[in-house]
Amino acid sequence: RLNEADLLRSVYERIPSESVQLVCSSVPTPYLERLIAFLTVQIEATPHVQLHLTWSKVLLMTHGTWLCEHRGAVAAPLKALHKALGRQYRDVSSVANSNSHTVAFVT
């Protein structure tokens, strides 16, 4: 049951944002690669922008030293995470720009 995607997603989405720091600091380093890959999938699959940014920031800040020391082992998941966050940034930016142009036209 621990590797069921729906169960993992459900738990991930239910962790309060103020508890993300505690959860991230409790993750053992052997699981970081899998957690980063899971986070990447969630960024691409669900629209919870704030949740994904919170998890990404806290995870990278908490385990940044270890990730730098073992960058060869986690290069692929980190690159995928970077691409997913960049894609989400472009999507949100285009919606925000569209909305600002609409507001400017209406006013």
Side-chain angles (χ1 to χ4, degrees):
R1 290 194 49 129
L2 292 177
N3 280 326
E4 291 182 16
D6 291 336
L7 178 62
L8 289 172
R9 183 180 42 77
S10 177
V11 170
Y12 166 75
E13 290 176 353
R14 284 183 172 77
I15 295 174
S17 57
E18 53 276 353
S19 299
V20 172
Q21 174 70 43
L22 177 64
V23 173
C24 284
S25 64
S26 301
V27 174
T29 54
Y31 294 108
L32 287 177
E33 183 178 353
R34 288 179 57 195
L35 181 57
I36 293 168
F38 170 80
L39 185 57
T40 301
V41 169
Q42 295 310 303
I43 289 169
E44 295 172 345
T46 63
H48 308 296
V49 176
Q50 181 68 35
L51 176 69
H52 304 316
L53 291 175
T54 300
W55 273 89
S56 299
K57 177 185 172 192
V58 171
L59 185 66
L60 294 174
M61 294 296 289
T62 304
H63 294 284
T65 303
W66 187 89
L67 292 169
C68 284
E69 291 171 356
H70 299 87
R71 70 176 63 115
V74 292
L78 284 175
K79 188 173 186 177
L81 178 64
H82 183 262
K83 286 176 73 173
L85 288 170
R87 198 172 306 116
Q88 194 169 56
Y89 170 78
R90 284 189 299 279
D91 293 346
V92 170
S93 293
S94 69
V95 170
N97 287 337
S98 174
N99 285 345
S100 66
H101 294 306
T102 303
V103 168
F105 176 75
V106 171
T107 56

